[in-house]
Amino acid sequence: MRIEFGPETVVSQATPDVTEWGRWQFPFLYRVGDAYYVEFDDAHDSAEEYGKPKMRFRSDDRGATWR
């Protein structure tokens, strides 16, 4: 396996008014065909939030842009 890292790209970021941590946790990056996906928890850090859907972004240009 060969892993190469390129320039950093911001996929999702909190607004300046967010001061507590808990969201944007546990990122997972994977590839399906030519598309890259990143998903992460989009819930508060609480046992009541477990099992909620994750936030997912897709890139079709090798990570240069995400939607």
Side-chain angles (χ1 to χ4, degrees), residues 33-50:
D34 291 333
Y36 291 111
Y37 292 86
V38 64
E39 65 181 26
F40 51 87
D41 283 0
D42 184 39
H44 296 285
D45 190 22
S46 165
E48 296 169 350
E49 301 286 325
Y50 291 151

Side-chain angles (χ1 to χ4, degrees), residues 1 12 14 17 42 47 55 66:
M1 176 184 286
S12 179
D17 61 310
D42 184 39
M55 182 68 81
W66 296 84

Side-chain angles (χ1 to χ4, degrees), residues 23-40:
R23 300 176 87 158
W24 294 275
Q25 291 191 90
F26 313 114
F28 184 70
L29 179 67
Y30 57 99
R31 183 175 149 190
V32 178
D34 291 333
Y36 291 111
Y37 292 86
V38 64
E39 65 181 26
F40 51 87

